[in-house]
Amino acid sequence: MISRTNGSLYTHIENNIATIEFEHPASNSFPSELLERLAKAFDQLSVDNSVHVIILKSEGDRAFCAGASFDELIAITNLEQGKFFFSGFAHVINAMRKCQKPIIGRIQGKTVGGGVGLASACDYCLTTEAASIKLSELTIGIGPFVIEPAVSRKIGLAAFETLAWDATQWKNAYWAKEKGLFSKVFLTISELDKEVQLFAEKLASYNPAALQQMKRATWHGTDHWDTLLIERAAISGELVLSEFTKEALEKFKK
């Protein structure tokens, strides 16, 4: 268990199933420290032979993840800080794709920006009807550059463009399911939790070597993401210093 004033991260292992649960008071958004700890959690579980499958979830019954920390975003003053900030989700996505264990996303509510990237980096997502998604980055003068490869891999470039260009529009869970981001949609969180557990138990009963080979096969061709996502982080790190973005952030702050 890791708990901080800027959020918390819990990892629990039982019956070959690891559950990672994160929390932040601002709609389960991620400050840099929490992103770093999440990436390390995936790295550690990847080599833990007692773990066959991983569940990723957030606390509460509202938003799954509101993306990166707004407070840290508005505090960026130079290129180095900008690149570091936007590299947070790059490191997590790369840790998820390289993790040897399949990752089940338990998505209970609205998901924005980097949260959509997290869902896309999961190998299988189960959700409720409340799990609408949005990529709002263009509204503040940046873009979903770091998460684009993960989102496009999962739902295709055309669907990604639908989300990215229309940056104020929410797409509901059934749209996301149709595009391939979500595999199943449930009416209630209790139904969701029951199915997540049953599915995790099913995967955990399979040959661990087969699960690892399956994971490797489905992420084939993404090795270049180690550098690509960091390059994308540098783009956003530069844009966030623009006058447009500074003014947009100031309006959001007010």
Side-chain angles (χ1 to χ4, degrees), residues 118-155:
L118 285 184
S120 299
C122 291
D123 300 293
Y124 196 94
C125 282
L126 300 159
T127 74
T128 68
E129 286 188 329
S132 299
I133 62 174
K134 181 170 68 171
L135 296 181
S136 58
E137 286 87 343
L138 282 178
T139 64
I140 58 171
I142 55 175
F145 305 119
V146 172
I147 66 171
E148 179 276 319
V151 180
S152 291
R153 169 188 171 273
K154 182 67 75 169
I155 68 175

Side-chain angles (χ1 to χ4, degrees), residues 15-17 52-53 199-208 211:
N15 297 327
N16 305 123
I17 300 169
H52 296 177
V53 61
F199 187 68
E201 290 174 357
K202 185 187 299 182
L203 285 185
S205 72
Y206 298 158
N207 182 353
L211 295 178

Side-chain angles (χ1 to χ4, degrees), residues 73-126:
L73 181 65
I74 62 176
I76 295 171
T77 58
N78 58 59
L79 287 174
E80 184 179 356
Q81 290 177 351
K83 183 178 179 180
F84 176 81
F85 175 80
F86 289 103
S87 293
F89 273 99
H91 294 316
V92 170
I93 289 172
N94 278 325
M96 292 174 73
R97 72 173 180 83
K98 290 189 283 188
C99 180
Q100 299 182 69
K101 315 300 167 62
I103 302 167
I104 302 171
R106 181 263 201 190
I107 318 294
Q108 81 278 14
K110 287 185 174 180
T111 303
V112 184
V116 179
L118 285 184
S120 299
C122 291
D123 300 293
Y124 196 94
C125 282
L126 300 159

Side-chain angles (χ1 to χ4, degrees), residues 37-238:
R37 294 185 181 279
L38 181 59
K40 288 181 179 178
F42 282 118
D43 288 342
Q44 291 168 356
L45 294 174
S46 178
V47 296
D48 188 332
N49 292 330
S50 72
V51 174
H52 296 177
V53 61
I54 301 168
I55 298 170
L56 177 66
K57 62 185 294 188
S58 62
E59 288 190 8
D61 58 1
R62 298 178 69 83
F64 168 70
C65 178
S69 168
F70 183 78
D71 289 340
E72 286 194 20
L73 181 65
I74 62 176
I76 295 171
T77 58
N78 58 59
L79 287 174
E80 184 179 356
Q81 290 177 351
K83 183 178 179 180
F84 176 81
F85 175 80
F86 289 103
S87 293
F89 273 99
H91 294 316
V92 170
I93 289 172
N94 278 325
M96 292 174 73
R97 72 173 180 83
K98 290 189 283 188
C99 180
Q100 299 182 69
K101 315 300 167 62
I103 302 167
I104 302 171
R106 181 263 201 190
I107 318 294
Q108 81 278 14
K110 287 185 174 180
T111 303
V112 184
V116 179
L118 285 184
S120 299
C122 291
D123 300 293
Y124 196 94
C125 282
L126 300 159
T127 74
T128 68
E129 286 188 329
S132 299
I133 62 174
K134 181 170 68 171
L135 296 181
S136 58
E137 286 87 343
L138 282 178
T139 64
I140 58 171
I142 55 175
F145 305 119
V146 172
I147 66 171
E148 179 276 319
V151 180
S152 291
R153 169 188 171 273
K154 182 67 75 169
I155 68 175
L157 181 59
F160 167 80
E161 288 181 314
T162 296
L163 287 172
W165 290 119
D166 198 351
T168 62
Q169 184 181 21
W170 289 96
K171 289 294 187 181
N172 66 34
Y174 292 103
W175 183 90
K177 179 178 181 293
E178 177 187 340
K179 300 304 179 184
L181 178 60
F182 301 151
S183 297
K184 293 182 180 179
V185 179
F186 299 92
L187 293 176
T188 66
I189 291 179
S190 61
E191 291 176 308
L192 169 65
D193 286 336
K194 180 180 179 181
E195 185 62 26
V196 167
Q197 185 62 33
L198 289 173
F199 187 68
E201 290 174 357
K202 185 187 299 182
L203 285 185
S205 72
Y206 298 158
N207 182 353
L211 295 178
Q212 291 183 24
Q213 290 295 338
M214 180 69 176
K215 179 75 182 261
R216 189 173 301 160
T218 56
W219 285 92
H220 177 73
T222 62
D223 289 347
H224 64 293
W225 287 17
D226 281 327
T227 54
L228 174 64
L229 301 194
I230 301 302
E231 291 171 356
R232 295 289 184 85
I235 295 173
S236 289
E238 182 176 359

